[in-house]
Amino acid sequence: MESGGDAIGDRLRAALGVVGALSDAGAPRHEVWREGRCVLYRYEPQAPQQVRTPLLICYALVNRPTMLDLQPGHSLIRNLLAAGVSVYLLDWGYPQSADRHEQLDDYVNGWLHECIVQVSQDSGTARSAAAQRNPVNLLGVCQGGVLSLCHAALHPGMVQNLVTMVTPVDFQTPQDLLSRWARGIDTELMGGLGNIPGALLNALYMALLPFRLSQQKYLSMALLLDDPAGLEHFMRMEHWIGDSPDQAAIAFTQFVKWFYQENRLLKGTLSLGGRPVNLRAIRCPILNLYGLRDHLVPADASRALRGLAGSRDYEELALDLGHIGMYVSRRAQQAVGPAIAAWLAARDG
């Protein structure tokens, strides 16, 4: 007769077998452009084209964009492709020690700007040498949404429709636990120490909700030992959490100081590349999505965009989801991708 300990051991060994068998589950894609560590990818179509204007996704710097295409059944990108959207993705890569002097201007007016030009040319939407006159759709996620707002304000003619997803605009709302920590950072000291380790930032995020993000999570894992599919999903999530790039020192400290500590985007006092970032300059349609249970970007932080942008076509979609649930939860699969695709289709051309 098998003892309880032997049974648990067998299930753990089976679980480890599932973990060892994990492979890349991303949708097929091809490299279009590369500069240094930054890469632009184009995804293969999965359905007849329903939105003529291509969509470029700009993800956050602090995590990897694999969360947007974690696996079949849990993929924002696959849902967009299935709805007939032509999808491109900007992958920021992994900053090295030599990249410590990069500034936020390099990300917004450098790589993001060039990727928009490349998407316009690669997709065939460019009708002249001046690709800036042939806009693309832009989806900014979390911190990537902040960078996208900045770019759309500085280069309004390049973006046809702008989608922001779990994107903070007011960085000092009362419910913002991350802001309370960030406002106490000595940015000059931190910036002088070199690139910021991704592992350090992960530890910080875990400390915001220690029980829910550590003990409770791993207790829940025990319930998945007899569920290979559920265990695989859990381990893919864990791999994504651990795969956090180091942050370029200067750009990271600029973001903390200018946004969290000084709230420049909300106040209209932000400048990049010597030019003011005025959200009133954004005239294109905007769809702003946020989660009502988001502990990293509270709903009020995202809702602050309402009334600040110059667009007359502004919509919000609030979902009863958390920050990560906006990408991978079952409810998100039915609500987020289809909503974005339908909104873009209604404003195409």
Side-chain angles (χ1 to χ4, degrees):
M1 183 175 181
E2 187 177 41
S3 68
D6 291 338
I8 294 175
D10 289 343
R11 287 191 291 171
L12 284 173
R13 282 187 286 273
L16 291 174
V18 170
V19 174
L22 289 180
S23 60
D24 181 15
R29 64 184 186 180
H30 304 283
E31 181 178 320
V32 172
W33 171 87
R34 176 186 294 265
E35 183 175 294
R37 68 175 193 278
C38 295
V39 183
L40 175 66
Y41 292 103
R42 178 184 67 244
Y43 284 84
E44 293 185 4
Q46 294 185 3
Q49 188 179 43
Q50 300 298 322
V51 180
R52 290 174 296 173
T53 305
L55 175 68
L56 171 63
I57 300 178
C58 176
Y59 195 65
L61 305 175
V62 296
N63 292 112
R64 298 287 295 147
T66 48
M67 178 54 67
L68 302 179
D69 187 25
L70 191 67
Q71 65 186 103
H74 299 275
S75 171
L76 172 62
I77 287 176
R78 287 177 186 267
N79 291 333
L80 291 169
L81 292 170
V85 179
S86 178
V87 178
Y88 292 75
L89 173 71
L90 167 54
D91 187 334
W92 298 109
Y94 297 86
Q96 304 299 311
S97 58
D99 302 321
R100 65 183 302 270
H101 296 291
E102 294 171 355
Q103 302 189 39
L104 286 179
D105 179 55
D106 297 319
Y107 289 87
V108 174
N109 289 316
W111 294 301
L112 177 55
H113 183 88
E114 182 59 29
C115 279
I116 292 175
V117 173
Q118 293 292 330
V119 169
S120 179
Q121 294 175 345
D122 180 75
S123 65
T125 60
R127 295 178 292 274
S128 69
Q132 292 89 334
R133 299 178 184 176
N134 304 278
V136 305
N137 293 328
L138 183 60
L139 166 58
V141 181
C142 190
Q143 185 188 26
V146 179
L147 303 180
S148 298
L149 284 169
C150 292
H151 188 280
L154 292 169
H155 308 277
M158 298 184 70
V159 178
Q160 179 164 305
N161 298 293
L162 176 62
V163 181
T164 54
M165 185 173 172
V166 292
T167 296
V169 174
D170 183 351
F171 285 77
Q172 295 184 0
T173 57
Q175 305 89 348
D176 197 331
L177 300 177
L178 185 59
S179 176
R180 296 180 194 176
W181 171 83
R183 279 181 270 173
I185 290 178
D186 185 334
T187 54
E188 291 189 10
L189 175 62
M190 177 170 279
L193 297 177
N195 287 350
I196 314 304
L200 175 63
L201 297 178
N202 266 339
L204 163 67
Y205 301 145
M206 296 282 285
L208 295 176
L209 294 172
F211 177 71
R212 193 173 88 186
L213 299 180
S214 55
Q215 294 102 319
Q216 187 179 46
K217 178 176 68 173
Y218 292 111
L219 286 173
S220 300
M221 177 188 171
L223 303 176
L224 300 173
L225 294 179
D226 292 323
D227 179 7
L231 183 63
E232 178 181 351
H233 178 68
F234 180 92
M235 296 311 302
R236 288 189 185 280
M237 293 282 294
E238 288 298 286
H239 181 268
W240 173 79
I241 291 172
D243 186 23
S244 294
D246 295 345
Q247 296 299 293
I250 301 303
F252 179 83
T253 54
Q254 286 177 338
F255 195 87
V256 171
K257 181 177 181 180
W258 294 349
F259 292 90
Y260 281 104
Q261 296 182 350
E262 299 177 352
N263 218 3
R264 292 189 185 185
L265 186 63
L266 181 77
K267 295 178 180 178
T269 56
L270 177 67
S271 293
L272 290 175
R275 298 172 56 199
V277 178
N278 183 1
L279 295 179
R280 298 283 180 194
I282 303 177
R283 301 300 178 88
C284 67
I286 298 174
L287 174 62
N288 186 18
L289 300 98
Y290 52 86
L292 297 176
R293 292 189 283 119
D294 191 333
H295 73 287
L296 290 177
V297 181
D300 286 345
S302 294
R303 274 195 290 253
L305 180 59
R306 182 194 307 162
L308 290 179
S311 174
R312 295 182 179 180
D313 183 354
Y314 173 87
E315 291 189 13
E316 291 182 357
L317 177 58
L319 298 169
D320 188 26
L321 295 170
H323 194 80
I324 305 303
M326 290 287 288
Y327 320 136
V328 298
S329 69
R330 290 187 177 89
R331 190 184 309 170
Q333 307 313 302
Q334 303 298 322
V336 178
I340 293 173
W343 185 85
L344 291 175
R347 290 157 181 80
D348 199 31

